């Protein structure tokens, strides 16, 4: 019997309160946060997922864990104690003046204006116990810079794991540089770390991925100053773009790292295909409400058939490997809206 690949993740695991743009739809409660989303998506995609989080023993934590259980996410590395914190994020779905979909994250209680509970990192002294409980994942993912996450990354790297670092900022310069020394992959949003190209003219880690919103993304390898671009998929019926980056990350992990292959041994064309897979997942999720709405509306087997069809069609259009830029766009060939029309009826 083949063992499912394992991903352990540390970072933001939160309770998302999704407030729909449709007045008739009541508020919905889901496990969220970057780490929470990536690991839950991976579990849906067939991985064994183990989030590390320091939650409080309250109703919010109960609701969060209930959703994780629905997707068979493992609870072994969760801490639920009185001195923890269960972050709560209000995810409000809106429309702009042109009627286009947009969303907003809120961190205050709408009733009294007080701040909602926020993220607390795991304690550094807990690292040894956590590693002993689950010593050898295929992948370790982290999205926050703190001593415990860095020490976990070092320990899991020594045990052979691929280290994925997905920072939300680079304000902690010293900590950020330390994370770069450990990471095999860094993935970040250009609007969060806009000066990365200036700070690091050449690639610092084995694989660097910079997302560019509606413009797609670009990636490069260690030592290279040149980026390879992948244009995003066109979406006609965007409902909510939250969680798009998390789906892309999960798609990348699923395709490249189930067998602990060193990134140096992975061809650039394989990286492009894995990222296109992730981009297709992202695009499809944008047609549903919530950061992981796709999971609640379509079975994994059916989804993978759709995505594999999209990616195989697009890979045929990629230029030869000596070309500097890879372009990927659905344009008029495949429409996301028509693919999932039946699901939205």
């Amino acid at each position: 019997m083949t063992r499912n690949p394992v991903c352990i993740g540390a970072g933001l695991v939160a309770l998302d309160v999704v407030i729909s743009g449709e007045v008739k739809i009541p508020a919905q409660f889901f496990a969220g946060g970057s780490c929470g989303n990536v690991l839950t998506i991976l579990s849906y995609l067939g991985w064994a997922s183990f989030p590390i989080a320091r939650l409080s023993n309250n109703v919010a934590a109960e609701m969060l864990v209930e959703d994780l259980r629905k997707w068979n996410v493992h609870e072994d590395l969760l801490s639920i104690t009185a001195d923890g914190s269960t972050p709560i994020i209000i995810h409000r779905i809106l429309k702009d003046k042109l009627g286009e979909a947009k969303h907003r994250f809120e961190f205050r209680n709408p009733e009294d204006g007080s701040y909602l509970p926020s993220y607390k990192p795991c304690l550094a002294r807990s690292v040894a116990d956590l590693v002993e409980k689950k010593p050898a994942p295929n992948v370790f993912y982290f999205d926050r810079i703190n001593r415990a996450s860095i020490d976990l990354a070092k320990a899991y790297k020594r045990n052979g794991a691929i280290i994925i670092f997905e920072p939300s900022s680079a304000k902690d310069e010293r900590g950020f540089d330390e994370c770069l020394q450990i990471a095999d992959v860094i993935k970040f949003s250009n609007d969060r770390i806009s000066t990365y190209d200036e700070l690091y003219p050449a690639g610092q880690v084995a694989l660097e991925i910079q997302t560019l919103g509606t413009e797609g993304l670009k990636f490069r390898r260690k030592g290279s100053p040149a980026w390879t671009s992948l244009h995003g998929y066109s979406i006609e019926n965007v409902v909510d773009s939250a969680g798009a980056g998390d789906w892309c990350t999960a798609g990348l992990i699923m395709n490249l790292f189930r067998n602990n292959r060193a990134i140096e041994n992975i061809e650039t064309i394989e990286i492009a295909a894995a990222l296109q897979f992730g981009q297709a997942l992202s695009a499809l999720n944008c047609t549903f409400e919530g950061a992981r709405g796709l999971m609640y509306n379509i079975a994994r087997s059916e989804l993978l058939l759709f995505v594999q069809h999209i990616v195989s069609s697009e890979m045929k259009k990629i230029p030869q490997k000596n070309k500097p830029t890879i372009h990927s766009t659905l344009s008029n060939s495949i429409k996301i809206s028509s693919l999932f029309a039946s699901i939205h009826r």
Side-chain angles (χ1 to χ4, degrees):
M1 182 175 180
T2 303
R3 181 179 71 92
N4 290 343
V6 175
C7 181
I8 295 175
L12 183 59
V13 179
L15 179 68
D16 277 358
V17 182
V18 179
I19 300 177
S20 174
E22 300 292 333
V23 178
K24 296 179 180 179
I25 300 177
Q28 302 174 83
F29 302 89
F30 303 109
S34 298
C35 181
N37 284 330
V38 169
L39 267 70
T40 308
I41 294 166
L42 281 172
S43 186
Y44 163 76
L45 293 174
W47 282 53
S49 293
F50 294 79
I52 296 172
R54 183 183 167 203
L55 306 175
S56 55
N57 54 352
N58 56 14
V59 174
E62 291 174 5
M63 298 172 78
L64 190 162
V65 171
E66 181 182 0
D67 191 40
L68 293 178
R69 287 173 180 161
K70 183 181 298 183
W71 300 105
N72 299 314
V73 175
H74 295 269
E75 304 170 42
D76 308 47
L77 306 182
L78 293 177
S79 167
I80 301 177
T81 59
D83 64 349
S85 177
T86 306
I88 298 175
I89 301 171
I90 295 175
H91 170 186
R92 196 179 296 275
I93 300 169
L94 305 162
K95 291 187 181 296
D96 63 20
K97 294 179 180 179
L98 299 176
E100 299 293 330
K102 67 175 186 177
H103 66 270
R104 182 175 70 221
F105 296 125
E106 300 174 9
F107 304 91
R108 289 178 181 266
N109 187 325
E111 295 182 358
D112 60 14
S114 62
Y115 279 103
L116 296 166
S118 58
Y119 166 75
K120 276 188 179 181
C122 290
L123 300 174
R125 65 173 181 263
S126 68
V127 168
D129 288 340
L130 289 166
V131 174
E132 185 177 355
K133 286 181 180 178
K134 198 68 184 175
N138 299 78
V139 170
F140 175 69
Y141 168 97
F142 69 114
D143 62 14
R144 291 292 185 275
I145 301 172
N146 55 68
R147 178 44 49 195
S149 289
I150 291 171
D151 288 350
L152 284 164
K154 289 179 177 178
Y156 287 127
K157 191 176 183 74
R158 286 194 297 270
N159 292 348
I162 298 293
I163 308 301
I164 313 283
F165 176 41
E166 190 159 14
S168 58
S169 78
K171 292 178 182 178
D172 179 355
E173 296 179 7
R174 183 175 177 180
F176 189 82
D177 283 339
E178 187 173 2
C179 292
L180 290 183
Q181 297 303 311
I182 309 164
D184 296 295
V185 179
I186 179 174
K187 177 176 173 287
F188 62 93
S189 170
N190 175 261
D191 64 1
R192 292 292 188 94
I193 309 178
S194 59
T195 59
Y196 190 87
D197 290 17
E198 299 169 20
L199 294 171
Y200 306 103
Q204 300 296 298
V205 304
L207 176 60
E208 299 183 350
I209 303 161
Q210 187 172 162
T211 60
L212 309 170
T214 58
E215 298 301 312
L217 59 81
K218 58 184 183 179
F219 68 94
R220 67 182 179 184
R221 310 187 77 151
K222 188 170 185 176
S224 174
W227 294 90
T228 296
S229 297
L230 285 173
H231 290 188
Y233 291 95
S234 62
I235 315 169
E236 291 182 335
N237 57 332
V238 175
V239 173
D240 181 14
S241 62
D246 301 328
W247 281 92
C248 187
T249 300
L252 175 77
I253 292 171
M254 174 190 174
N255 279 274
L256 290 188
F257 303 126
R258 62 184 304 115
N259 297 316
N260 295 75
R261 293 173 64 196
I263 297 174
E264 293 78 9
N265 297 329
I266 300 175
E267 297 288 340
T268 298
I269 198 73
E270 294 179 81
I271 295 172
L275 286 169
Q276 286 195 308
F277 185 96
Q279 286 179 301
L281 290 175
S282 300
L284 295 169
N285 191 67
C286 287
T287 66
F288 297 95
E289 289 190 343
R292 295 183 290 102
L294 182 59
M295 296 169 55
Y296 298 84
N297 288 277
I298 184 169
R300 178 185 68 182
S301 58
E302 187 177 355
L303 173 64
L304 294 181
L305 287 174
F306 277 124
V307 175
Q308 287 163 3
H309 170 67
I310 293 170
V311 174
S312 62
S313 297
E314 291 304 304
M315 289 303 291
K316 294 175 182 178
K317 304 175 185 177
I318 292 180
Q320 297 300 313
K321 286 192 290 185
N322 62 349
K323 297 288 183 68
T325 302
I326 296 174
H327 294 289
S328 167
T329 177
L330 287 182
S331 61
N332 295 321
S333 59
I334 303 173
K335 298 296 185 184
I336 295 294
S337 57
S338 60
L339 273 175
F340 276 157
S342 61
I343 295 173
H344 290 285
R345 286 179 190 147

